[in-house]
Amino acid sequence: MRGSFRWKLMGSYLALVLFLGAGLYLYLSASLEHSMTRDTSAHLQDQARVAALVALKEIADLDRDAPALTASLAKAIRSRVTVIAGDGRVVADSGVDPSQVSRLENHGHRPEVIAAFREGIGSAVRYSATLHTDMLYVAASFGTKGVIRLALPLSELEAAKERLRKSLGATLAVAVLASLLFSYFLSNINSRKLRKLAAGANRIGRGEFGTRIAISGHDELGELARVMNEMSGRIRQQLEQISSEKGQLDAILAGMGEGVMVTDREATVALVNPAFCTLFDTPAQVAGRPLLEISRHPDLHAACREVLSGRTERHQEISLPGGRETLVHWVPLLEEGELAGAVAVFHDITALKRVERIRRDFVANVSHELRTPVTVIKGYAETLLSGALAQDPARGERFLQIILNHAERLSGLVRDLLALSELESGEVALKPEPIAVADAARHALLLVAQRGEEKAVLLNCAEGLEGLAVRADRARLEQVLINLLDNAIKYSEPGGKVELSACREGELVRISVRDSGIGIPEKDLPRLFERFYRVDEARSRDNGGTGLGLSIVKHIVQTHGGTVRVESEQGKGSVFSFTMPVA
């Protein structure tokens, strides 16, 4: 509660005053009462001695002089005065009517009288049967004549003690009230700094680390304020550093192409990055969920359990849905020697695996393609070198023609391989320029016209090409057109027709090559642009194909930012088309 410390401080001050006041009250009350009793007794003894001296001088005859003396002394010292003869008979008593004195009992056995006769003075405190109250008696002898006794009612002493107690109580009450007032002001002054400290600490606790507590002084509170100000500054610096490092870490994790996952010791996901979410097709809010809920891959869970139990690194390859391959690097997460969880980095090696598979297939295909012409050239050359055909020049010339054909095929294969390698490397230096589609089409048709005449295939350029222009590298565009026209002629029957056309599609121009050939089976269409893929390998080789022409077409078109497609139906011909940007 607000101000509670001030009230506690005030209460402590008040409790201290009350404790000390009560102690002083009890001590002073007892001490002063004892002192008052002692002083009263001593004073009464002194008065008794004076009275004895007066009695010794004034009393010549006890029965005659004693009553007058007792009366005068009682008025002077305001005490009861009794004169007792040596035999204990009461001669006079200021508290009793003179006519009744003779009826008083003998006082010779009273202790104060006995002490007075023996020692000269005696005292006692006892109940008076005559006055019916406690009395303090002091007796002093005056020679051998008798004893004079002074009596003081203890009620007067008790009344004096009561007045003393009331004075002490009033003094204590005033002291308590004064201490209450002063403790309020003192506690208010002392708690003001504490309230400032509490308010500053509360603001710091709410995250306002720029707060500074303005408390001066060199006492403990001032030192505490200085320490809290320094602590606030350090916390602010550390939080800024942590925030900066977290921002850097988030940026690094977000920019990483590899998926990252952090789990605790119970295999519950604590942190993932966007690449991981993309890889496993999960939402970004996966923290706090068990790994089993995110992926049910058995090898992944087995590796996680092995890393958490054995605290060792591990590498594994796993296959994910969709044909993706990943390499996972597991590392145990240790904090001061204690296992805190595990970190897994997922490397997507799908492209690497595909490239490796393509390279393997490429090597196998190249080896297969090269083996045939090399074997033929070697066989025919060895036959010629053996001299077996020396007597048959016509046959030898045919052998040489076969060797030349296969050498040309081998040369074309090497040339296409080099062109394809250059295109796939991404280092092709294109020189794009505006090119009229009609001019490029006529030039390409002119270059393949002889092949068409040899095959008796009609080459035609459709209407609508005029006015269309594309932005492309001239040599590469002609290479695409020649490859497509050459393939169309190659797979067309004698008397067939090949037509080249073009049309505008938004910001692109689509150029198509249509033939009336044998067509392509539907199952072969998806793989038609792969390297060395042939629909009919025997016929392709007979036509001198390398299996790389359409792959080269695809790479050239994609390098220009276009696309290539094929539409075909067996027995009804095919249409190969590609797009180029409008000039």
Side-chain angles (χ1 to χ4, degrees):
M1 184 175 66
R2 184 176 178 86
S4 61
F5 181 81
R6 181 178 64 185
W7 295 114
K8 290 179 181 178
L9 189 62
M10 180 178 171
S12 66
Y13 288 152
L14 187 59
L16 179 62
V17 171
L18 288 174
F19 177 76
L20 293 176
L24 285 173
Y25 175 81
L26 294 175
Y27 171 75
L28 290 175
S29 178
S31 176
L32 290 176
E33 287 180 7
H34 178 72
S35 177
M36 182 179 293
T37 302
R38 185 181 65 250
D39 292 346
T40 302
S41 176
H43 180 66
L44 199 59
Q45 288 179 8
D46 292 340
Q47 288 180 334
R49 289 189 183 95
V50 172
L53 292 175
V54 173
L56 183 62
K57 181 179 179 182
E58 298 291 335
I59 296 176
D61 183 281
L62 286 176
D63 293 327
R64 184 188 71 232
D65 299 331
L69 180 63
T70 56
S72 61
L73 287 176
K75 290 180 181 180
I77 62 177
R78 291 181 297 178
S79 297
R80 180 184 175 186
V81 181
T82 305
V83 177
I84 303 168
D87 57 359
R89 178 176 59 87
V90 178
V91 178
D93 192 329
S94 63
V96 179
D97 188 81
S99 61
Q100 301 295 327
V101 172
S102 59
R103 295 181 181 181
L104 294 178
E105 63 180 5
N106 190 289
H107 284 30
H109 62 281
R110 303 292 171 87
E112 67 274 9
V113 175
I114 295 172
F117 280 121
R118 186 175 62 246
E119 300 176 1
I121 192 166
S123 66
V125 177
R126 70 175 187 276
Y127 182 77
S128 173
T130 304
L131 301 178
H132 306 288
T133 184
D134 290 330
M135 302 288 287
L136 172 62
Y137 295 98
V138 176
S141 62
F142 50 97
T144 59
K145 296 179 180 179
V147 172
I148 187 168
R149 187 184 72 177
L150 304 182
L152 182 68
L154 289 182
S155 59
E156 294 184 5
L157 184 60
E158 290 298 326
K161 290 182 179 179
E162 183 64 25
R163 289 192 298 271
L164 177 63
R165 284 193 289 268
K166 288 182 178 179
S167 298
L168 289 175
T171 304
L172 178 61
V174 172
V176 168
L177 290 175
S179 65
L180 181 63
L181 183 61
F182 283 111
S183 64
Y184 174 79
F185 287 108
L186 289 176
S187 62
N188 192 36
I189 293 172
N190 291 329
S191 64
R192 187 177 302 150
K193 293 183 178 180
L194 291 175
R195 289 197 299 271
K196 288 183 179 180
L197 282 173
N202 190 24
R203 292 179 63 186
I204 293 173
R206 292 198 303 265
E208 300 177 17
F209 298 109
T211 301
R212 291 296 178 268
I213 303 172
I215 294 182
S216 58
H218 302 285
D219 57 358
E220 289 80 359
L221 294 180
E223 181 66 18
L224 179 60
R226 185 184 62 80
V227 171
M228 291 182 67
N229 289 335
E230 293 179 356
M231 179 186 68
S232 175
R234 286 196 297 269
I235 291 176
R236 183 177 183 180
Q237 291 177 358
Q238 291 174 358
L239 284 178
E240 289 176 352
Q241 182 179 357
I242 292 172
S243 178
S244 176
E245 291 176 354
K246 182 180 182 300
Q248 294 176 3
L249 179 60
D250 291 343
I252 291 172
L253 289 176
M256 286 181 63
E258 295 80 9
V260 178
M261 178 187 68
V262 181
T263 70
D264 61 11
R265 66 184 67 185
E266 303 299 331
T268 300
V269 176
L271 175 69
V272 295
N273 68 338
F276 175 89
C277 298
T278 302
L279 198 62
F280 284 84
D281 194 20
T282 61
Q285 293 78 18
V286 297
R289 293 170 55 189
L291 179 59
L292 187 62
E293 293 184 7
I294 298 172
S295 174
R296 298 186 178 274
H297 200 291
D299 293 340
L300 193 64
H301 296 286
C304 184
R305 288 193 297 269
E306 180 179 338
V307 172
L308 291 175
S309 60
R311 301 188 179 188
T312 56
E313 292 189 32
R314 178 173 175 176
H315 293 81
Q316 67 171 155
E317 289 187 13
I318 60 173
S319 299
L320 298 178
R324 288 174 295 179
E325 300 285 338
T326 59
L327 174 65
V328 189
H329 181 197
W330 290 93
V331 179
L333 184 60
L334 302 177
E335 293 182 358
E336 298 181 357
E338 296 294 329
L339 180 68
V343 178
V345 181
F346 297 80
H347 303 271
D348 190 351
I349 57 174
T350 305
L352 184 63
K353 288 285 187 180
R354 183 176 59 82
V355 170
E356 183 179 352
R357 184 171 59 253
I358 291 173
R359 180 186 59 80
R360 192 167 52 247
D361 294 344
F362 177 75
V363 172
N365 289 328
V366 168
S367 300
H368 179 73
E369 293 295 332
L370 291 175
R371 185 187 304 117
T372 301
V374 170
T375 301
V376 171
I377 291 172
K378 180 181 178 183
Y380 281 101
E382 287 176 350
T383 302
L384 290 173
L385 289 173
S386 67
L389 300 177
Q391 304 300 323
D392 190 354
R395 192 177 181 188
E397 185 177 350
R398 186 166 60 84
F399 277 22
L400 289 174
Q401 185 63 45
I402 292 173
I403 291 174
L404 178 61
N405 291 339
H406 281 279
E408 289 178 351
R409 180 165 177 253
L410 189 61
S411 176
L413 181 61
V414 171
R415 183 180 61 254
D416 288 347
L417 285 173
L418 290 175
L420 187 60
S421 176
E422 183 182 8
L423 290 168
E424 289 182 340
S425 68
E427 298 177 357
V428 178
L430 297 178
K431 296 180 181 179
E433 57 178 308
I435 301 173
V437 176
D439 293 343
R442 283 192 292 268
H443 187 260
L445 289 173
L446 181 62
L447 293 176
V448 298
Q450 183 177 355
R451 288 289 305 274
E453 293 176 359
E454 293 174 355
K455 194 75 179 285
V457 174
L458 177 62
L459 302 178
N460 182 35
C461 189
E463 297 180 358
L465 272 63
E466 299 296 337
L468 294 176
V470 296
R471 185 169 182 80
D473 186 289
R474 185 177 296 275
R476 297 297 181 181
L477 176 59
E478 289 183 356
Q479 187 177 4
V480 170
L481 292 174
I482 290 171
N483 280 350
L484 292 179
L485 290 170
D486 188 61
N487 274 351
I489 295 170
K490 191 183 302 180
Y491 292 101
S492 293
E493 298 295 339
K497 180 181 179 182
V498 174
E499 184 179 63
L500 194 152
S501 61
C503 64
R504 177 78 177 264
E505 292 184 357
E507 296 301 316
L508 299 174
V509 173
R510 178 170 297 280
I511 303 174
S512 304
V513 176
R514 180 186 301 272
D515 64 64
S516 57
I518 59 176
I520 304 169
E522 186 177 355
K523 66 180 181 63
D524 294 313
L525 292 177
R527 301 187 59 190
L528 201 60
F529 292 94
E530 293 181 10
R531 289 173 293 186
F532 298 112
Y533 185 80
R534 294 184 176 90
V535 177
D536 186 349
E537 291 196 12
R539 183 170 180 180
S540 296
R541 286 197 176 89
D542 291 340
N543 291 326
T546 62
L548 297 174
L550 291 179
S551 183
I552 292 173
V553 167
K554 183 186 73 171
H555 280 85
I556 292 175
V557 172
Q558 289 178 346
T559 302
H560 282 80
T563 58
V564 62
R565 73 184 184 194
V566 59
E567 299 171 5
S568 182
E569 186 178 348
Q570 275 191 290
K572 296 184 178 180
S574 305
V575 179
F576 286 84
S577 65
F578 64 93
T579 59
M580 287 283 179
V582 173

